[in-house]
């Protein structure tokens, strides 16, 4: 089932005009949120932040805004069946909302970490400050690394600096501080990223926002990636052309981040 243009539709197919720019060019914007306690208004759901993300992109592109009452009604309808909601908006203001379940192996990955691999520099995200329907590069990057037994791709720029994963923002721990790439390098301003920064600032924890050079990433004791659905997933191994890097997926530093999601 899904929600489209103010209606709940029981189907696995969506009919679009063959000239729809969303179909031809991926001309949509979207956001994906995890619903906590079956409530859009729960602080961890971050409903207002997700709507603001959509609104900012629509205004930047000069697209029509949707009927926000329809958007909320659709999300409210689907959260009765799914804990994860994806809201897509077309240039003419049509809303398309789908739901899915949490990954079955999420808890295992959160506890034990995953293997990642550096993607090729050409797999750069289009319009990195916005979540658009043209998500081909991250999709290709993740599929390529999964073919060689990694679970996440780390996107890099032409200088070899690490930017973000194919689905989330990066975090590293070094010298008693958290480190994350700055938005200026061309990464998505993740909602969970902003949430974590606010959380750490309240705790008085130092956060360094600077480019992740090939030298800096060797100095981290632990690294992880975050997004609104998976929360925090440590990365214990990163395969790269010059050799693999190993990190501690059970480092005590993660307790500080995980505290953000405790009831």
């Amino acid at each position: 089932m899904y929600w489209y243009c103010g209606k709940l539709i029981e189907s696995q197919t969506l009919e679009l005009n063959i000239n729809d720019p969303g179909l031809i060019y991926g001309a949509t914007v979207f956001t994906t949120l995890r619903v906590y306690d079956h409530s859009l208004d729960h602080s961890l759901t971050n409903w207002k932040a997700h709507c603001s993300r959509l609104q900012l992109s629509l205004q930047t592109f000069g697209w029509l805004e949707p009927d926000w009452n329809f958007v909320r009604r659709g999300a409210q309808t689907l959260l009765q069946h799914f804990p994860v909601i994806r809201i897509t908006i077309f240039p003419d203001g049509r809303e398309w909302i789908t739901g899915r379940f949490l990954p079955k192996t999420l808890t295992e990955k959160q506890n034990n970490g995953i293997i990642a691999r550096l993607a090729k520099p050409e797999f750069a995200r289009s319009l990195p400050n916005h979540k658009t329907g043209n998500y081909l590069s991250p999709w290709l990057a993740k599929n390529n690394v999964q073919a060689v037994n990694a679970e996440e791709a780390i996107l890099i720029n032409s200088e070899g600096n690490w930017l973000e994963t194919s689905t989330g923002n990066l975090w590293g721990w070094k010298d008693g501080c958290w480190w994350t790439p700055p938005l200026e390098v061309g990464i998505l301003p993740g909602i969970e990223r902003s949430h974590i920064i606010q959380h750490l600032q309240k705790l008085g924890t130092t956060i360094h926002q600077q480019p992740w050079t090939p030298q800096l990433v060797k100095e981290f004791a632990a690294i992880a990636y975050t997004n609104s659905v998976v929360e925090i997933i440590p990365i214990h191994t990163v395969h790269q052309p010059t050799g693999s890097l190993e990190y501690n997926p059970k480092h005590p530093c993660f307790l500080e981040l995980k505290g953000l999601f405790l009831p």
Side-chain angles (χ1 to χ4, degrees):
M1 67 177 68
Y2 61 89
W3 179 278
Y4 182 61
C5 294
K7 297 179 181 179
L8 181 65
I9 299 175
E10 301 266 357
S11 175
Q12 287 295 306
T13 60
L14 173 65
E15 183 176 330
L16 295 175
N17 187 295
I18 59 172
N19 296 312
D20 193 306
L23 174 64
I24 299 175
Y25 306 113
T28 62
V29 294
F30 76 95
T31 191
T32 306
L33 57 97
R34 176 173 173 175
V35 181
Y36 289 80
D37 290 343
H38 296 89
S39 173
L40 295 180
D41 298 316
H42 191 285
S43 60
L44 292 178
T45 302
N46 274 317
W47 172 255
K48 290 184 178 179
H50 283 279
C51 289
S52 295
R53 160 189 276 173
L54 293 170
Q55 193 170 38
L56 176 60
S57 294
L58 294 171
Q59 292 173 351
T60 300
F61 299 155
W63 293 356
L64 294 178
E65 292 194 26
D67 183 322
W68 293 106
N69 291 325
F70 279 171
V71 172
R72 184 175 177 95
R73 194 183 310 165
Q76 192 71 49
T77 300
L78 287 178
L79 71 79
Q80 300 175 43
H81 306 276
F82 305 102
V84 179
I85 305 295
R86 186 184 195 270
I87 302 170
T88 302
I89 308 296
F90 290 84
D92 59 4
R94 281 172 293 148
E95 84 282 358
W96 172 35
I97 308 174
T98 56
R100 69 173 189 258
F101 298 104
L102 291 169
K104 293 182 179 179
T105 57
L106 179 56
T107 301
E108 178 187 346
K109 291 179 179 180
Q110 289 172 331
N111 291 334
N112 300 318
I114 64 165
I115 298 173
R117 180 179 289 269
L118 297 191
K120 298 177 182 178
E122 56 262 36
F123 290 140
R125 282 205 307 114
S126 171
L127 299 170
N129 291 327
H130 304 273
K131 292 198 76 168
T132 72
N134 182 3
Y135 229 63
L136 180 58
S137 286
W139 184 82
L140 285 173
K142 187 167 185 176
N143 276 272
N144 282 0
V145 302
Q146 286 180 334
V148 287
N149 299 320
E151 295 165 275
E152 259 293 340
I154 295 177
L155 306 184
I156 62 175
N157 62 16
S158 58
E159 299 174 342
N161 293 344
W162 297 12
L163 303 176
E164 57 191 335
T165 76
S166 60
T167 61
N169 293 112
L170 286 167
W171 294 88
W173 178 262
K174 177 175 97 75
D175 299 333
C177 307
W178 283 105
W179 303 65
T180 189
L183 300 181
E184 292 75 22
V185 300
I187 62 172
L188 182 72
I191 288 173
E192 206 56 67
R193 178 182 183 275
S194 298
H195 197 195
I196 289 172
I197 288 175
Q198 293 171 8
H199 173 69
L200 293 177
Q201 288 175 337
K202 289 180 180 179
L203 294 177
T205 303
T206 301
I207 308 165
H208 293 283
Q209 299 188 51
Q210 69 178 58
W212 280 27
T213 64
Q215 178 56 41
L216 178 62
V217 298
K218 294 178 182 178
E219 301 172 4
F220 291 133
I223 66 171
Y225 79 95
T226 61
N227 66 41
S228 295
V229 174
V230 303
E231 300 177 342
I232 306 153
I233 293 187
I235 299 173
H236 63 73
T237 305
V238 178
H239 295 308
Q240 52 183 359
T242 56
S244 299
L245 297 174
E246 303 287 337
Y247 302 96
N248 181 3
K250 297 182 181 295
H251 195 285
C253 67
F254 291 123
L255 295 176
E256 191 171 42
L257 294 187
K258 290 179 179 179
L260 175 61
F261 303 98
L262 295 177

